[in-house]
Amino acid sequence: MERVIELRNVYAGYGRSVILRDVTFDVMKGEVFALLGGSGCGKSTIMKHMIGLNPVLSGDLTVAGMRWTAKTRAKLCRKIGVMYQSGALFGSMTCLENVLLPLEEFSKLRRKARRARAMELLADVELADAADKMPSEISGGMRKRVAIARAMALDPEVVFLDEPSAGLDPITSASLDELILRLKREKGMTFVVVTHELDSIFRIADRAAMFDKARKGMVALGTPAALRDSSPDPFVRKFFNRRKTDGR
Amino acid sequence: MAILSGLGEWFDKGRRSFAGWQEFIGETTVDCLSLIVRPRNFRFGDFLLAFQRASYSGLAISTGIGFLLGLILAFESAAALRSFGVEVYVADLLTIGLFRELGPLVTAIILAGRSGIAFAADIGTMKVDEELDALATMGLRPVRFLVLPRVAAATLAMPVLTVFAELAGLVGGAIVLRVMDVPTVVFWAHVESTATLFMIVFGLAKACLFGMLVGLIGCFSGMRTKATADGVGVAATAAVVSSIVAIAVTDGILAVVCYIWNV
């Protein structure tokens, strides 16, 4: 299988502060890869390195075969799409305009074709009816769907989702997971998902990497079922078996 | 020891803030220059919206304050000049004071309190909501998207607001002198003979400069907003305070330069 993202001995953090040490894993084309761990363990930090918002402290990180540099930045930005935790839709634009923005800036399509493409993307996330609504007029789950449509506008090689289930009720969260699975199945998209929601992990993730704040590193890598059933690491077992202990 | 440590922290904070400001000005200049090559990249719709908010929506308050300023200045100076029987020279004083100094200065402070704060709050909220990160990961430069239209709007809105404030100030002065039995036609004749083209152009150029400062400082404060509960509030306050200080310092420098050049 083709590797979309490669991390080799990456030290993640900000400035002089190291949050994760010696992280190595690959994300394969067409898979849903989850970054797991408790709050503050560094999963969002590693995602920020992958999407080029912050440079890695040391080690090697490539996305679509390229490192994040000033020269490759413009190219790499078109190869990734990001859905932020809050959706990060622009409040002064309608949902359609939000999806149109990357197309207007980078696509060579004509005006009508751009609009048709944006409507098609909104239809993909089942929100064609909300095209003319402002982000403040739709629910949190809908905002995240629009953000996914915007992230997919330029047909990126990989879409990053930061806490897609955060702040959503279980039904909306499950429908968002179904959307991710459908996009993966129908369009062969690759997803990297930052989450700590067990239900969601088992529904969507093909593989997962797990991070531990105390050890400042990656402690497990594999399929969610393998991590749950056969990980020798007590922290991983505790994370996956917390349903039994926290009464959920 | 505590004093030394505090001093060190203060210097370090100042150094980082200065470095951030340098980076911001550098990015803004580069993006501004790139518009010469690709003018299509200018977000004209965003500019029009920001211009409308800064100028049209702020017209009533700056005109009102300008009127009151003229009224108060005329009253205060007329009281002193009347004892010499030369209250008609209030018109000259008002013309020079408003066109050269007070018109741009007071309007800039109003703009800082209305639009500078709004720029900081808008951009700060966008930063907290990760919208700036979203722009960056789409390969779009936040400065081109958010800063340039707002700075251009503030720069161009200032002369419009200043002209209205100055004219309103003169109307206020004319009313005061009319009450003091100085014919309005005499007042306007004095205004006409005192006002020079240089004075008016200099005042409007100063207004543009102050507007640019308000726009830059408002946007800079917004872009440095921290993702804390009071982050946007702190950024908005910093925008107003820094703008007023920057306007006062720039005005002082210009006054000294004008004195040295004898203009």
Side-chain angles (χ1 to χ4, degrees):
Chain A
M1 271 177 102
E2 189 187 333
R3 290 183 175 89
V4 182
I5 300 171
E6 292 178 55
L7 283 89
R8 297 283 176 271
N9 311 108
V10 164
Y11 277 62
Y14 304 94
R16 289 177 200 161
S17 145
V18 178
I19 293 171
L20 290 170
R21 288 189 292 240
D22 206 18
V23 176
T24 297
F25 64 80
D26 299 318
V27 177
M28 303 298 180
K29 192 174 171 63
E31 76 173 340
V32 178
F33 189 91
L35 303 174
L36 310 179
S39 300
C41 72
K43 50 191 191 299
S44 291
T45 307
I46 205 101
M47 191 188 94
K48 282 186 177 172
H49 290 315
M50 287 195 262
I51 61 179
L53 280 181
N54 293 317
V56 294
L57 301 182
S58 71
D60 204 18
L61 189 160
T62 59
V63 178
M66 287 182 276
R67 289 188 187 87
W68 283 100
T69 63
K71 274 187 182 172
T72 60
R73 181 160 205 90
K75 255 187 195 173
L76 272 174
C77 283
R78 286 155 194 66
K79 290 188 182 287
I80 64 162
V82 186
M83 187 215 79
Y84 289 88
Q85 195 171 335
S86 60
L89 298 180
F90 303 112
S92 57
M93 299 177 181
T94 63
C95 294
L96 179 66
E97 286 166 343
N98 264 285
V99 180
L100 265 172
L101 181 67
L103 294 167
E104 278 173 351
E105 290 291 327
F106 302 115
S107 146
K108 285 176 182 160
L109 296 172
R110 287 184 166 275
R111 198 164 172 227
K112 263 190 178 175
R114 284 201 303 260
R115 204 183 153 82
R117 170 78 180 130
M119 284 305 294
E120 188 187 313
L121 285 160
L122 281 173
D124 278 345
V125 295
E126 293 157 11
L127 279 176
D129 295 345
D132 294 323
K133 288 193 172 154
M134 301 302 280
S136 57
E137 295 170 334
I138 58 176
S139 69
M142 290 163 89
R143 274 201 287 272
K144 290 192 179 195
R145 282 169 179 268
V146 177
I148 292 178
R150 186 178 67 183
M152 296 192 315
L154 297 172
D155 288 323
E157 291 198 15
V158 54
V159 175
F160 293 84
L161 309 172
D162 188 8
E163 305 271 10
S165 310
L168 301 182
D169 63 80
I171 296 167
T172 312
S173 172
S175 76
L176 203 62
D177 288 344
E178 278 161 25
L179 170 69
I180 294 165
L181 287 175
R182 183 166 59 78
L183 293 171
K184 178 197 157 195
R185 200 172 51 239
E186 290 174 5
K187 300 188 182 282
M189 306 271 322
T190 307
F191 289 96
V192 174
V193 186
V194 172
T195 185
H196 53 242
E197 293 289 327
L198 282 177
D199 287 339
S200 184
I201 294 162
F202 282 103
R203 264 197 302 262
I204 61 173
D206 295 307
R207 289 192 309 136
M210 184 148 186
F211 302 95
D212 181 14
K213 187 179 180 181
R215 283 177 278 178
K216 288 192 171 185
M218 190 174 84
V219 291
L221 178 68
T223 63
L227 294 183
R228 180 192 56 195
D229 300 333
S230 51
S231 173
D233 192 291
F235 173 76
V236 178
R237 282 203 307 272
K238 191 179 170 191
F239 184 90
F240 277 97
N241 293 316
R242 69 177 186 228
R243 273 165 192 279
K244 291 170 193 164
T245 53
D246 68 6
R248 286 171 66 189
Chain B
M1 202 62 188
I3 295 171
L4 278 179
S5 158
L7 210 62
E9 268 177 35
W10 187 77
F11 269 112
D12 189 49
K13 202 178 160 189
R15 185 189 56 79
R16 272 184 284 137
S17 178
F18 183 69
W21 180 246
Q22 267 183 314
E23 191 186 336
F24 173 75
I25 291 293
E27 271 184 47
T28 308
T29 309
V30 167
D31 281 6
C32 196
L33 291 176
S34 75
L35 290 179
I36 299 169
V37 187
R38 300 179 82 180
R40 209 184 117 255
N41 277 352
F42 185 65
R43 306 274 305 173
F44 196 69
D46 294 344
F47 160 76
L48 282 182
L49 188 67
F51 182 77
Q52 186 245 325
R53 283 181 184 163
S55 60
Y56 178 73
S57 309
L59 210 56
I61 185 156
S62 46
T63 308
I65 297 281
F67 175 76
L68 289 173
L69 188 73
L71 208 79
I72 294 162
L73 266 178
F75 260 124
E76 294 295 333
S77 50
L81 293 174
R82 200 172 200 182
S83 54
F84 300 103
V86 288
E87 60 265 39
V88 70
Y89 285 107
V90 166
D92 304 57
L93 189 143
L94 269 183
T95 308
I96 296 169
L98 284 173
F99 283 142
R100 277 187 73 112
E101 203 58 53
L102 291 172
L105 186 71
V106 171
T107 312
I109 291 170
I110 295 168
L111 189 81
R114 279 194 82 259
S115 302
I117 203 169
F119 293 167
D122 276 356
I123 298 177
T125 308
M126 289 178 81
K127 184 165 183 195
V128 173
D129 287 346
E130 299 176 304
E131 290 173 40
L132 300 196
D133 286 347
L135 280 175
T137 47
M138 274 191 257
L140 303 171
R141 292 170 67 91
V143 166
R144 174 166 80 81
F145 256 76
L146 306 172
V147 177
L148 292 186
R150 285 173 171 81
V151 173
T155 308
L156 296 179
M158 259 300 285
V160 177
L161 295 174
T162 303
V163 165
F164 275 88
E166 287 169 351
L167 292 178
L170 290 178
V171 170
I175 291 171
V176 170
L177 286 201
R178 187 74 199 87
V179 171
M180 293 180 175
D181 296 329
V182 175
T184 306
V185 68
V186 176
F187 175 87
W188 287 111
H190 271 260
V191 169
E192 211 180 315
S193 65
T194 311
T196 61
L197 184 65
F198 173 80
M199 190 189 287
I200 295 168
V201 171
F202 178 71
L204 293 181
K206 220 156 80 163
C208 289
L209 180 65
F210 291 167
M212 192 169 75
L213 281 175
V214 169
L216 283 171
I217 292 169
C219 294
F220 176 69
S221 303
M223 292 188 84
R224 284 175 66 89
T225 303
K226 289 182 180 151
T228 53
D230 61 350
V232 176
V234 169
T237 309
V240 179
V241 173
S242 308
S243 294
I244 292 174
V245 171
I247 290 162
V249 170
T250 310
D251 200 31
I253 293 170
L254 287 174
V256 173
V257 169
C258 285
Y259 176 77
I260 291 169
W261 286 353
N262 200 20
V263 287

